[in-house]
Amino acid sequence: MMELPTLPFDNPSIIGIAPQMRALQQEGPVTKVRIGGEEAWLVTRYTEVRKLLADRRLGLSNPYPERSTKSTARSTMMALMAGDDYDTEATEHPQLRELLVPRFSTRRMRLMKARIEHHVDELLDQLADSTQPADLHRALSFPLPTMVVCDLLGVPLADRERFGQWARGTFDQSDSQHSVNTFQQVVDYTTELVARKRIEPGDDILSELIAVKDGALSDAYIAQLGNAVLLFGYETTIVRIDLGTLLLLRNPAQRAQLAENPELAPAAVEEILRLAVGGKGSNALIPRYAHSDITVAGTVIRTGDAVMLAIGAANIDGRAYPDSDLFDLARVKPKSHLAFGHGTRHCIGRVLARIELTAVFERLFRRLPNLQLAVPEESLRWQEHRITGGFDEIPVTF
């Protein structure tokens, strides 16, 4: 019996799709693999991944939880999305989205835009005045999304460093106790913050949630919603700022165009979102479980089977994107990439993430036209132990 391919696949590059993932995509859209001690179906082609993202027969929860081998960090992630319990997911996950989607209204995003641009300008000014080599990650990529999520939740900016480190600890798959301890710190802090905002509300998401349903939501539930915003709306944007910068440094002609024409920033952001896969691809796989039998490209996925939707591979599928590996600011009517998912679980914070990324890449190479890595790219270290992956340091000169 042939041994199954085992995720994660080795990747000689710190950016892009692993060669084995590409090879499996060429062989067919669906492949059985092994991941974390269990078998799963790996789906790699654009059409099939997009279709399954919108298929309600795929869920977050495992119908047979006794078979699950999820890490503590991933279990926490599923619980935050109200997707850890098969019996309650169908009611609790939609309720979570119903409460959070209005919090990301067009009005709020429009108001946030000016504040985000101000944050970016300040951070870039500080970076420009710093001693070289400087750390782009610590100077820009890490603080900006932290500031933004603190603004959203009404968290004092003085606490942003603690919040950021807690988020990283929560998604650490290498140390279960560390994950549990740091997440408990997040819960304690947010619950206390909710209690304060019942007395002194502000213009923030937590205060709005306190007021909905005539104040019927419990502090604990509001804290859970706030923690979901924090933990899902923060680390992924950090990762994309870092990867986006590296992608543009790899593509000097596109970078020069962007520096000269900042109105190209939205196009650059879409290419970054499409191509921003790091390390062994931990930030480009969406895990699901089949809640009933599903047939995909002639393969029957049985109820309870684990399914890994390879959005990173789908986003470089040549069937969907001509010259799919190219970073191209002039793509003509490209298909919608799957970086934010698709269908009923389409990322709630996608508009905000685009605003943040656009603000960064409109400014970064205009403010620092000589920006370059201070170390060889291959010396950068992708953090495989975190669910979201990412870097801890990006040394640069400018």
Side-chain angles (χ1 to χ4, degrees), residues 53-68:
L53 283 167
D55 195 321
R56 293 179 181 272
R57 292 173 295 175
L58 278 186
L60 301 166
S61 57
N62 189 345
Y64 307 112
E66 67 278 2
R67 302 180 187 173
S68 180

Side-chain angles (χ1 to χ4, degrees), residues 88-108:
T88 61
E89 179 187 343
T91 55
E92 291 191 1
H93 181 78
Q95 176 180 293
L96 178 146
R97 291 186 65 89
E98 181 183 343
L99 288 166
L100 286 181
V101 167
R103 313 283 81 84
F104 289 81
S105 65
T106 302
R107 170 188 169 276
R108 172 169 273 133

Side-chain angles (χ1 to χ4, degrees), residues 1-6 20 24 27 31-34 39:
M1 183 172 160
M2 200 161 82
E3 189 173 337
L4 294 176
T6 300
Q20 190 172 3
L24 291 175
E27 290 176 12
T31 309
K32 181 164 276 192
V33 297
R34 183 170 294 279
E39 294 184 358

Side-chain angles (χ1 to χ4, degrees), residues 241-375:
I241 294 172
D242 281 340
L243 285 173
T245 302
L246 295 177
L247 283 165
L248 283 160
L249 290 175
R250 279 186 169 190
N251 292 274
Q254 302 292 299
R255 166 191 163 173
Q257 284 187 43
L258 177 61
E260 189 172 337
N261 304 287
E263 65 274 12
L264 291 173
V269 167
E270 297 311 304
E271 285 290 85
I272 289 166
L273 290 167
R274 186 176 69 84
L275 294 169
V277 179
K280 296 181 179 181
S282 55
N283 70 319
L285 288 170
I286 295 180
R288 294 286 185 263
Y289 287 96
H291 286 188
S292 61
D293 290 357
I294 307 171
T295 300
V296 181
T299 297
V300 179
I301 298 173
R302 299 294 182 189
T303 302
D305 284 358
V307 180
M308 304 301 294
L309 301 175
I311 57 173
N315 282 337
I316 56 96
D317 186 350
R319 298 160 193 78
Y321 299 97
D323 298 318
S324 60
D325 286 322
L326 292 182
F327 188 104
D328 185 0
L329 296 179
R331 284 195 179 274
V332 179
K333 296 183 178 177
K335 289 181 179 292
S336 299
H337 59 72
L338 304 175
F340 293 122
H342 175 67
T344 58
R345 293 191 178 91
H346 206 188
C347 175
I348 291 170
R350 61 191 181 276
V351 173
L352 181 60
R354 284 186 166 109
I355 290 172
E356 291 181 66
L357 293 168
T358 300
V360 168
F361 292 107
E362 277 177 343
R363 292 162 171 75
L364 179 59
F365 294 106
R366 288 173 69 86
R367 185 68 179 83
L368 302 171
N370 297 316
L371 182 76
Q372 59 184 329
L373 283 176
V375 297

Side-chain angles (χ1 to χ4, degrees), residues 67-306:
R67 302 180 187 173
S68 180
T69 59
K70 290 196 296 288
S71 66
T72 300
R74 195 165 289 282
S75 295
T76 299
M77 175 184 279
M78 293 300 106
L80 282 170
M81 291 192 287
D84 58 327
D85 188 329
Y86 176 73
D87 293 327
T88 61
E89 179 187 343
T91 55
E92 291 191 1
H93 181 78
Q95 176 180 293
L96 178 146
R97 291 186 65 89
E98 181 183 343
L99 288 166
L100 286 181
V101 167
R103 313 283 81 84
F104 289 81
S105 65
T106 302
R107 170 188 169 276
R108 172 169 273 133
M109 296 304 99
R110 190 165 53 240
L111 292 173
M112 290 286 294
K113 183 174 183 291
R115 188 169 179 82
I116 290 167
E117 290 172 346
H118 177 70
H119 285 326
V120 173
D121 288 333
E122 282 197 330
L123 291 170
L124 288 177
D125 285 346
Q126 292 167 17
L127 176 58
D129 291 338
S130 64
T131 302
Q132 299 184 53
D135 183 358
L136 181 84
H137 177 83
R138 295 296 307 178
L140 175 66
S141 312
F142 180 85
L144 176 64
T146 317
M147 290 173 166
V148 172
V149 81
C150 285
D151 290 343
L152 274 175
L153 296 175
V155 174
L157 282 180
D159 292 339
R160 69 175 186 255
E161 182 74 19
R162 283 195 294 164
F163 249 44
Q165 294 305 328
W166 288 340
R168 300 212 141 169
T170 296
F171 289 156
D172 185 344
Q173 300 186 93
S174 66
D175 188 336
S176 294
Q177 193 57 54
H178 180 52
S179 176
V180 169
N181 291 344
T182 51
F183 181 59
Q184 189 58 52
Q185 289 177 294
V186 175
V187 171
D188 292 344
Y189 181 96
T190 312
T191 304
E192 181 183 335
L193 185 62
V194 171
R196 293 206 308 266
K197 288 184 178 296
R198 282 198 183 274
I199 301 169
E200 297 180 2
D203 183 14
D204 56 73
I205 285 178
L206 294 180
S207 297
E208 287 183 12
L209 290 169
I210 288 168
V212 302
K213 298 184 183 293
D214 297 322
L217 299 181
S218 70
D219 285 7
Y221 186 58
I222 294 170
Q224 177 188 334
L225 296 171
N227 292 336
V229 171
L230 164 67
L231 295 170
F232 295 123
Y234 152 80
E235 189 74 22
T236 53
T237 307
I238 294 173
V239 171
R240 283 160 174 163
I241 294 172
D242 281 340
L243 285 173
T245 302
L246 295 177
L247 283 165
L248 283 160
L249 290 175
R250 279 186 169 190
N251 292 274
Q254 302 292 299
R255 166 191 163 173
Q257 284 187 43
L258 177 61
E260 189 172 337
N261 304 287
E263 65 274 12
L264 291 173
V269 167
E270 297 311 304
E271 285 290 85
I272 289 166
L273 290 167
R274 186 176 69 84
L275 294 169
V277 179
K280 296 181 179 181
S282 55
N283 70 319
L285 288 170
I286 295 180
R288 294 286 185 263
Y289 287 96
H291 286 188
S292 61
D293 290 357
I294 307 171
T295 300
V296 181
T299 297
V300 179
I301 298 173
R302 299 294 182 189
T303 302
D305 284 358

